[in-house]
Amino acid sequence: MKRNIHIVFSLFLLFNGIPFFGHSKTGQKEIVTNINSKNADSILNLGMKSQDAGDYSRSLLYFDKSLNFYKSLGKSRKVGDCYSYKAVTYYYQGDYSNALFFFKKSNEEYKKTNYKKGISSILNNIGGVYYYLGNYLNALNYYKQAIIIQEELNDKKMTAATSQNIGAIYSQVEDYPNALKYYDKSYLIYKNSKDVKAISQNLNASGIVYAKLGNYPKAQKNLDQALVNADKINDKQLKIEVLSSLGELFFKQSNFEKALYYYNLSLQYSTKINSLQYISMAEVAIGKILNKLNKNKQAITKCLKGYDNAQKIGAMSVKKDACDCLYNAYKVTKNDKLALYFFEKSINFKDSLKSGETSNKMMIMEFQHRQLLDSISHVRKDHVVETKHKEEVQKQERQRNIIIISLCFIVLIALGLWNRLNYTRKSKIALKIEKDLSDELLLNILPEEIAQELKQKGFVNARDFNLVSILFSDFKSFTQTAEKMSPKNLVEEINACFKAFDLITEKYNIEKIKTIGDSYMAAGGIPKPDKESLTNIVLAGLEMQDFMSKRKINNDANNNPAFEMRLGIHAGPIVAGIVGIKKFQYDVWGDTVNTASRIESNGIVGKVNISESLYNLIKNEECFRFEYRGSIQAKGKGELKMYFVEKYINF
């Protein structure tokens, strides 16, 4: 049963004002209207308390009142806070259009004072709304913008919130290992900060992933703890989300009695605070359970209600689930016309959801990488053709103008000058756009230093490096394993592995050189020498092997073929540069490269094998533990001393 994971709203604001009340003639409490900062803070606090209590209509009144005060006082940051809280209130009510509108208004106010923490929070929250609407590409784009600012600010708590949201996207495209990786990263930060609410939201998200992986005991443990925490802090919205997750867990185990119990509780609490988001989800989920119990008329009633509520808030994934439920119910009750109607609507909603587009975008990155420089070459050729064309057009215009000037000299001269200025302005804009595109494409596939040299000179001089570390990896028994897989599954599996390797090399500032079939090559310490590169490339190799081990466990559990990998690293002098004039590729040469290849081919599955020369350079690093293998005969190299390296477990 598909459902969306809760998005963590990461607006952390503190107010110290005490609520200030006056009295009306009727004896009821009312807020005084003296315009000062203390009163405005007090009113905003009342709005926050009403929001936490699920009294959304009252919270909006308080937020609007404090918003007007802050505007009068000229406090842009506080105005941004009010807009943000209004947006969150609309989100909880399922009004995503207003949520997006007020988040963007808040962002405008924060930009006026360069409040970077607030800006990153809003970017994260906008991503959260797009995530719930099924627009994963837009969501990922906003998360990436947010995390850049958060890392710049070294804001670990906010980084954790955004990382958790990125994990939710991986969960939706069914890349569960990566989803858990991001959830675990967030959990460690939350645990150290003792943020009970954030820990509960994290446990809820990871619990759903464990349920999808079939690890039901682990899923229930996480969700039970999340529910205890939600009760402890009396967070109604969080409690609704966890109850919904528990309903999904028991649905997956076909324990429909317990699933109904939790979904009915979620619906009951959602109705109290008028959260259309979770009302619609609970109604559709209950309808699906009734469908399983052959109570199809009741299922139709529930799913129609859920569909109507999802329609009001534009929740595409919930509408699709409702259509699936109605299709099955009408099919069983022999109402073929309505069954066909909802089947077609389900297909349309499925096509509109963009999870497939996100996954496909990741899969074709390597292909795009190889074609970027071809695109630059075409752009340059187009520039030459366009320039010649412009010259010809200008020549024809001059000839025409001579004839026209003889007929109406003054009027046509003025018109010609105007046309000329307008044409020049548009041409400059077009040329600037194309130049920016060329620069962006070039930087996507070459190191920045190399790209700048190529742009300035049209070629790149080969450079000698005295000490560079070279990493090779290779899948053992690749051909035999590949024969057990379809071509599509083979490409998907290789892409999943190399995609993970790309992220690891980026993490450790290692330069990816190329892939050849099932072999992956990377280098540390180029094009800029880095004294940490020797340690970083070994850490990267260990993390690659760790990824492959976990992926094999996951594939074995699902009865899917899995690759095992050898990995070797050597360090020494190399020559690096670009050869040729088309389809540029930054590459390295030298005996060090050949030796690194031999170190890899003489390794064993699951281990990181290193040469004696690299061992001598890093043997004093406290984070590693080494195992001497002795002298091993290497093809074309004679006997080479080799070592296995592992990460020291207490480091």
Side-chain angles (χ1 to χ4, degrees):
M1 186 179 299
K2 183 178 177 184
R3 64 179 292 277
N4 285 300
I5 299 170
H6 172 70
I7 301 305
V8 182
F9 281 97
S10 51
L11 180 61
F12 300 105
L13 300 171
L14 296 174
F15 297 96
N16 298 315
I18 301 171
F20 182 79
F21 296 95
H23 294 278
S24 67
K25 293 180 180 179
T26 60
Q28 294 178 327
K29 292 182 178 181
E30 60 179 13
I31 301 167
V32 299
T33 57
N34 296 328
I35 301 178
N36 59 62
S37 183
K38 184 177 179 181
N39 288 343
D41 289 350
S42 299
I43 297 168
L44 182 58
N45 270 325
L46 290 173
M48 293 160 61
K49 289 178 181 178
S50 296
Q51 186 186 79
D52 291 340
D55 190 348
Y56 297 133
S57 58
R58 183 179 294 274
S59 70
L60 286 173
L61 290 174
Y62 286 133
F63 292 149
D64 282 333
K65 189 78 172 178
S66 58
L67 174 65
N68 291 331
F69 276 17
Y70 289 132
K71 281 184 176 179
S72 300
L73 295 168
K75 295 194 172 187
S76 292
R77 185 183 295 189
K78 292 288 191 177
V79 171
D81 293 345
C82 293
Y83 281 137
S84 184
Y85 277 117
K86 285 189 68 172
V88 173
T89 302
Y90 281 118
Y91 169 82
Y92 284 149
Q93 295 180 93
D95 188 343
Y96 302 113
S97 176
N98 265 326
L100 282 174
F101 174 77
F102 285 109
F103 275 138
K104 290 177 180 179
K105 292 277 287 182
S106 176
N107 200 33
E108 291 171 6
E109 295 297 327
Y110 288 154
K111 284 181 178 178
K112 291 178 182 178
T113 58
N114 197 29
Y115 180 33
K116 290 187 176 181
K117 184 172 183 179
I119 293 170
S120 71
S121 171
I122 295 304
L123 291 172
N124 175 71
N125 293 348
I126 292 173
V129 178
Y130 279 120
Y131 167 90
Y132 185 75
L133 291 172
N135 192 335
Y136 303 129
L137 284 176
N138 257 349
L140 190 59
N141 179 48
Y142 278 100
Y143 290 151
K144 285 166 67 178
Q145 293 180 56
I147 214 162
I148 288 171
I149 300 174
Q150 290 157 9
E151 289 177 348
E152 178 186 336
L153 297 172
N154 194 28
D155 191 333
K156 293 183 178 180
K157 191 170 182 180
M158 293 281 284
T159 302
T162 306
S163 295
Q164 183 166 314
N165 289 344
I166 293 173
I169 291 180
Y170 276 112
S171 176
Q172 288 292 43
V173 299
E174 299 179 1
D175 187 348
Y176 300 128
N178 268 324
L180 288 175
K181 183 179 88 172
Y182 278 95
Y183 289 152
D184 290 344
K185 177 182 177 183
S186 302
Y187 181 78
L188 289 176
I189 298 173
Y190 290 143
K191 188 177 180 182
N192 291 333
S193 70
K194 297 181 181 179
D195 186 333
V196 177
K197 181 173 182 177
I199 291 172
S200 301
Q201 291 168 332
N202 183 278
L203 289 170
N204 182 44
S206 62
I208 294 168
V209 173
Y210 281 120
K212 290 179 178 178
L213 289 171
N215 190 343
Y216 300 131
K218 180 68 173 175
Q220 186 166 354
K221 179 182 177 183
N222 285 14
L223 294 175
D224 285 344
Q225 184 59 53
L227 187 59
V228 169
N229 290 349
D231 282 330
K232 186 186 299 182
I233 61 177
N234 195 28
D235 190 313
K236 293 183 175 61
Q237 182 65 34
L238 179 57
K239 189 172 182 178
I240 290 167
E241 293 159 9
V242 179
L243 288 169
S244 182
S245 300
L246 283 164
E248 180 177 352
L249 171 64
F250 287 108
F251 181 88
K252 283 182 175 294
Q253 299 176 80
S254 299
N255 189 338
F256 300 130
E257 182 179 352
K258 278 195 172 183
L260 271 175
Y261 170 76
Y262 284 113
Y263 275 127
N264 277 319
L265 278 179
S266 178
L267 178 59
Q268 177 184 335
Y269 289 123
S270 302
T271 304
K272 284 183 179 179
I273 65 171
N274 194 32
S275 175
L276 287 180
Q277 173 186 349
Y278 280 90
I279 290 173
S280 61
M281 288 168 60
E283 287 172 337
V284 173
I286 293 170
K288 285 191 171 186
I289 295 171
L290 293 170
N291 191 282
K292 291 284 187 181
L293 297 173
N294 291 320
K295 298 179 179 180
N296 294 293
K297 290 185 178 180
Q298 296 176 46
I300 290 170
T301 301
K302 278 291 181 184
C303 286
L304 283 173
K305 283 185 178 179
Y307 179 83
D308 289 341
N309 284 322
Q311 187 80 9
K312 293 175 184 176
I313 60 177
M316 198 170 298
S317 60
V318 181
K319 287 192 283 186
K320 181 192 175 300
D321 284 347
C323 288
D324 290 339
C325 171
L326 291 166
Y327 161 68
N328 289 322
Y330 281 122
K331 184 173 68 173
V332 171
T333 56
K334 307 298 183 183
N335 192 333
D336 296 336
K337 183 177 179 180
L338 285 175
L340 179 60
Y341 172 77
F342 283 106
F343 177 77
E344 290 175 345
K345 290 187 77 66
S346 174
I347 295 298
N348 290 335
F349 289 134
K350 181 179 179 181
D351 290 341
S352 298
L353 288 168
K354 296 188 177 180
S355 58
E357 185 180 345
T358 304
S359 181
N360 290 338
K361 185 178 181 183
M362 294 175 178
M363 290 176 63
I364 64 173
M365 281 178 65
E366 182 66 23
F367 176 76
Q368 290 174 331
H369 174 83
R370 296 179 181 275
Q371 290 195 327
L372 288 177
L373 280 179
D374 280 343
S375 299
I376 295 172
S377 176
H378 286 307
V379 169
R380 288 176 175 169
K381 290 177 182 177
D382 290 343
H383 281 170
V384 174
V385 173
E386 185 176 357
T387 301
K388 290 181 179 179
H389 176 69
K390 288 176 182 175
E391 291 173 354
E392 183 64 28
V393 170
Q394 290 168 357
K395 182 179 178 181
Q396 292 176 1
E397 285 182 348
R398 284 194 297 269
Q399 292 173 348
R400 186 180 66 235
N401 287 341
I402 291 172
I403 298 172
I404 297 174
I405 287 170
S406 65
L407 299 175
C408 191
F409 182 78
I410 297 176
V411 175
L412 294 180
I413 280 290
L415 183 60
L417 288 172
W418 184 87
N419 285 335
R420 176 67 177 171
L421 289 171
N422 191 47
Y423 177 81
T424 302
R425 181 180 61 82
K426 290 181 179 179
S427 297
K428 286 181 178 179
I429 293 172
L431 287 171
K432 185 179 184 305
I433 291 171
E434 291 172 351
K435 180 181 180 299
D436 291 344
L437 176 62
S438 297
D439 290 345
E440 184 179 349
L441 293 174
L442 193 60
L443 288 173
N444 272 338
I445 64 169
L446 293 179
E448 182 176 0
E449 180 180 322
I450 303 303
Q452 292 298 333
E453 185 177 349
L454 181 63
K455 284 163 56 182
Q456 291 171 7
K457 301 192 302 187
F459 63 91
V460 175
N461 292 322
R463 291 178 57 189
D464 293 320
F465 292 86
N466 293 328
L467 182 62
V468 169
S469 50
I470 302 294
L471 177 150
F472 274 101
S473 75
D474 182 61
F475 295 148
K476 180 185 177 185
S477 304
F478 175 76
T479 303
Q480 293 87 332
T481 306
E483 288 174 351
K484 302 174 184 178
M485 307 168 73
S486 69
K488 179 183 177 183
N489 290 339
L490 175 61
V491 172
E492 289 176 347
E493 183 64 20
I494 293 174
N495 177 68
C497 295
F498 285 175
K499 178 177 67 177
F501 293 174
D502 287 346
L503 293 173
I504 292 169
T505 56
E506 183 179 358
K507 172 182 175 182
Y508 289 101
N509 200 25
I510 305 301
E511 190 70 33
K512 175 184 177 181
I513 302 299
K514 59 187 173 184
T515 59
I516 306 171
D518 63 317
S519 178
Y520 188 96
M521 179 182 178
I526 58 171
K528 292 183 179 179
D530 180 3
K531 64 180 180 179
E532 302 293 334
S533 64
L534 297 176
T535 302
N536 284 344
I537 199 167
V538 175
L539 290 171
L542 290 168
E543 196 163 320
M544 289 177 182
Q545 285 288 26
D546 183 56
F547 169 81
M548 292 301 298
S549 298
K550 290 179 180 177
R551 188 160 187 86
K552 185 176 188 308
I553 292 171
N554 185 51
N555 283 358
D556 289 345
N558 294 313
N559 295 320
N560 293 329
F563 292 121
E564 295 179 306
M565 185 174 76
R566 294 185 298 264
L567 190 146
I569 310 173
H570 175 57
I574 58 99
V575 177
I578 295 175
V579 295
I581 59 174
K582 295 181 68 177
K583 295 186 179 180
F584 300 122
Q585 179 173 309
Y586 188 63
D587 210 342
V588 296
W589 301 271
D591 185 64
T592 297
V593 178
N594 298 331
T595 303
S597 178
R598 296 292 179 265
I599 296 295
E600 176 271 314
S601 60
N602 283 280
I604 67 173
V605 165
K607 292 284 189 178
V608 174
N609 193 32
I610 66 172
S611 65
E612 181 185 26
S613 62
L614 179 55
Y615 165 75
N616 288 330
L617 292 167
I618 65 171
K619 63 184 179 182
N620 294 324
E621 294 290 339
E622 295 181 357
C623 59
F624 298 131
R625 185 166 61 85
F626 303 94
E627 178 187 343
Y628 179 53
R629 301 183 63 197
S631 297
I632 298 175
Q633 186 70 28
K635 183 179 178 182
K637 294 292 178 183
E639 290 190 348
L640 297 175
K641 292 182 179 180
M642 303 182 193
Y643 294 78
F644 286 140
V645 60
E646 295 179 354
K647 194 170 183 180
Y648 188 58
I649 194 166
N650 292 323
F651 187 78

